[in-house]
């Protein structure tokens, strides 16, 4: 049975043809928590889909230097890119929303400023601060689940910006509790080849009627997820699980 080595991320500029430098918070974790020594092997990922099997050659207070022994494309990434556009939820719910879809294989998160969002980010500085924090949560979840990339968290968008962004995807849709006819499976099976998918989840109060009008007028499908109404923090991961089973790699 293959031994799964600890996995860490480092910036692409820290990788040369022969060695890798780790100079982030993982230095302390590797040297003091895991108590790894010179000669021990770990896996380091560049966050862009490539894994490196490396051997530790130097351990310093603020950096660890490793020799590259193998390089290969990460085999943990799904065969489809998926973006979750998420209506800003209350308090720390966004932490959970980022963690779980990251474990399931999400590619990108876009927080959305919708009419019924309780959370309001006052200015651009507040948006950037939140985005940076969420990015760290995504990195931690990617590391824990053995991902080959760290999902990208972008600054919050308006609905109009979201609709414009969605035009670039093979399929896009919005789960909506008032939709009664079109289900998710029919949308996922509407095209023979899907490489990029996107969906938008409303906040705790759901979408406002005017927002649904804008979404459907733009040609974005609304879909039912069944007879039960899911919480905003549950819907994102539930939909992604369905996508990964139907057209991703969970059923392989």
């Amino acid at each position: 049975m293959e031994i799964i080595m600890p996995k860490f991320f480092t910036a692409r500029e820290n990788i040369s043809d022969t060695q890798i430098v780790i100079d982030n918070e993982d230095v302390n974790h590797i040297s003091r928590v895991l108590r790894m020594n010179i000669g021990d092997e770990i896996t380091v990922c560049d966050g862009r889909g490539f894994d490196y099997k490396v051997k530790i050659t130097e351990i310093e207070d603020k950096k660890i230097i490793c020799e590259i022994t193998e390089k290969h494309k990460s085999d943990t990434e799904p065969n489809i890119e998926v973006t979750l556009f998420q209506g800003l939820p209350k308090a720390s719910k966004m932490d959970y929303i980022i963690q779980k879809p990251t474990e399931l294989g999400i590619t990108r998160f876009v927080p959305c400023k919708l009419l019924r969002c309780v959370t309001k980010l006052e200015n651009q500085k507040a948006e950037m601060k939140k985005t940076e924090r969420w990015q760290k949560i995504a990195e931690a979840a990617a590391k824990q689940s053995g991902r080959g990339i760290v999902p990208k968290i972008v600054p919050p968008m308006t609905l109009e910006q979201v609709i414009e962004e969605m035009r670039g995807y093979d399929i896009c849709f919005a789960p909506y509790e008032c939709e009664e006819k079109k289900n998710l499976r029919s949308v996922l099976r509407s095209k023979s080849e899907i490489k990029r998918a996107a969906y938008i989840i409303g906040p705790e109060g759901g979408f406002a009627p005017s927002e649904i009008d804008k979404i459907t007028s733009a040609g974005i499908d609304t879909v039912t997820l069944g007879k039960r109404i899911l919480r905003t923090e549950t819907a994102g991961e539930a939909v992604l699980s369905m996508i990964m089973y139907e057209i991703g790699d969970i059923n392989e």
Side-chain angles (χ1 to χ4, degrees):
M1 185 173 65
E2 183 181 358
I3 298 174
I4 299 176
M5 294 182 292
K7 189 171 189 177
F8 305 92
F9 287 91
T10 195
R12 185 64 188 86
E13 55 267 27
N14 288 346
I15 303 174
S16 69
D17 292 337
T18 59
Q19 72 174 25
I20 286 178
V21 176
I22 299 172
D23 59 2
N24 52 32
E25 62 273 10
D26 287 331
V27 172
N28 181 70
H29 187 71
I30 292 168
S31 62
R32 293 180 174 83
V33 179
L34 297 179
R35 296 184 178 278
M36 304 194 82
N37 298 303
I38 292 173
D40 287 341
E41 293 183 328
I42 59 176
T43 299
V44 180
C45 183
D46 62 3
R48 300 180 184 181
F50 282 94
D51 289 341
Y52 298 79
K53 182 179 178 182
V54 302
K55 183 180 293 185
I56 297 173
T57 58
E58 294 181 42
I59 299 177
E60 301 178 11
D61 287 341
K62 295 185 178 181
K63 69 178 179 180
I64 292 175
I65 300 175
C66 307
E67 175 191 358
I68 297 173
T69 57
E70 291 180 22
K71 174 186 175 181
H72 58 86
K73 192 169 180 61
S74 175
D75 60 2
T76 59
E77 286 308 301
N79 53 14
I80 181 173
E81 294 181 13
V82 185
T83 295
L84 166 55
F85 293 87
Q86 172 68 50
L88 283 168
K90 286 189 274 187
S92 61
K93 289 182 180 180
M94 194 67 169
D95 296 5
Y96 181 92
I97 291 168
I98 290 170
Q99 289 168 348
K100 301 312 170 185
T102 293
E103 294 172 18
L104 288 166
I106 201 80
T107 307
R108 188 166 172 259
F109 289 95
V110 181
C112 305
K113 297 180 283 188
L114 303 177
L115 293 175
R116 292 178 176 172
C117 289
V118 175
T119 296
K120 307 292 182 182
L121 300 177
E122 300 81 11
N123 50 49
Q124 190 174 18
K125 184 178 179 180
E127 290 182 359
M128 292 306 298
K129 186 175 181 180
K130 282 285 189 181
T131 302
E132 289 171 3
R133 180 177 176 278
W134 292 331
Q135 189 65 64
K136 289 180 179 178
I137 292 170
E139 181 171 339
K143 186 188 303 180
Q144 178 273 324
S145 56
R147 293 287 302 273
I149 69 165
V150 178
K152 177 68 175 176
I153 317 291
V154 304
M157 292 185 181
T158 64
L159 180 60
E160 289 72 23
Q161 291 171 318
V162 169
I163 290 172
E164 187 61 35
E165 281 260 331
M166 279 187 160
R167 299 185 193 279
Y169 290 84
D170 298 324
I171 59 165
C172 53
F173 57 90
Y176 182 46
E177 65 274 13
C178 294
E179 175 62 53
E180 296 179 348
K181 297 180 180 179
K182 187 170 292 186
N183 60 37
L184 179 54
R185 176 175 289 179
S186 66
V187 172
L188 296 179
R189 293 184 174 184
S190 63
K191 292 187 178 181
S192 59
E193 185 174 8
I194 299 172
K195 293 297 183 183
R196 301 181 74 233
Y199 61 106
I200 179 171
I201 300 293
E204 286 89 349
F207 295 108
S210 62
E211 291 173 328
I212 289 297
D213 289 342
K214 290 178 181 179
I215 288 169
T216 55
S217 296
I220 298 170
D221 292 312
T222 55
V223 300
T224 176
L225 298 180
K227 297 179 181 180
R228 292 166 294 281
I229 297 175
L230 302 182
R231 291 175 177 269
T232 187
E233 65 268 32
T234 306
E237 64 175 315
V239 170
L240 183 59
S241 298
M242 298 174 200
I243 293 173
M244 289 301 177
Y245 183 81
E246 190 68 34
I247 57 177
D249 62 348
I250 284 180
N251 62 355
E252 292 182 351

